[in-house]
Amino acid sequence: MRADAVHRVILNAPLFHGMSVTLAPDPKFVKIASLENGKVAQYLFKCLGAAAAVTGQDLHDQILSYIPPIDQDDEQDGKSADA
């Protein structure tokens, strides 16, 4: 994730299927739970109000659009390992 205009990196975390990305009760905030070094890390991003170029809902939707779907091969491998 990069900041607008200056393109400074503000978060460098992998996106994975099943990660938690939610809007907080205040729609200016987006909560993300990610994995870093095998541990869960939680982040809270504050966006500007509804008049801003990017709102909390926009950020939430963009992050969800980049999360990869579950790989069908991995899903089948998991089922066969359990059987």
Side-chain angles (χ1 to χ4, degrees):
M1 183 178 296
R2 294 183 178 270
D4 286 341
V6 295
H7 301 289
R8 178 177 46 107
V9 174
I10 56 176
L11 179 65
N12 189 14
L15 300 177
F16 56 91
H17 180 78
M19 75 182 298
S20 174
V21 181
T22 58
L23 275 173
D26 182 344
K28 290 188 276 185
F29 293 93
V30 177
K31 295 188 291 185
I32 298 173
S34 183
L35 291 175
E36 287 192 14
N37 300 323
K39 296 180 182 177
V40 175
Q42 294 185 15
Y43 298 96
L44 183 66
F45 293 95
K46 180 180 180 184
C47 298
L48 299 176
V54 177
T55 63
Q57 183 67 53
D58 294 335
L59 178 60
H60 173 264
D61 295 344
Q62 282 293 316
I63 293 170
L64 286 178
S65 73
Y66 285 106
I67 293 177
I70 191 165
D71 186 10
Q72 294 297 327
D73 293 335
D74 290 344
E75 185 176 297
Q76 290 175 355
D77 291 342
K79 287 182 182 175
S80 63
D82 293 337

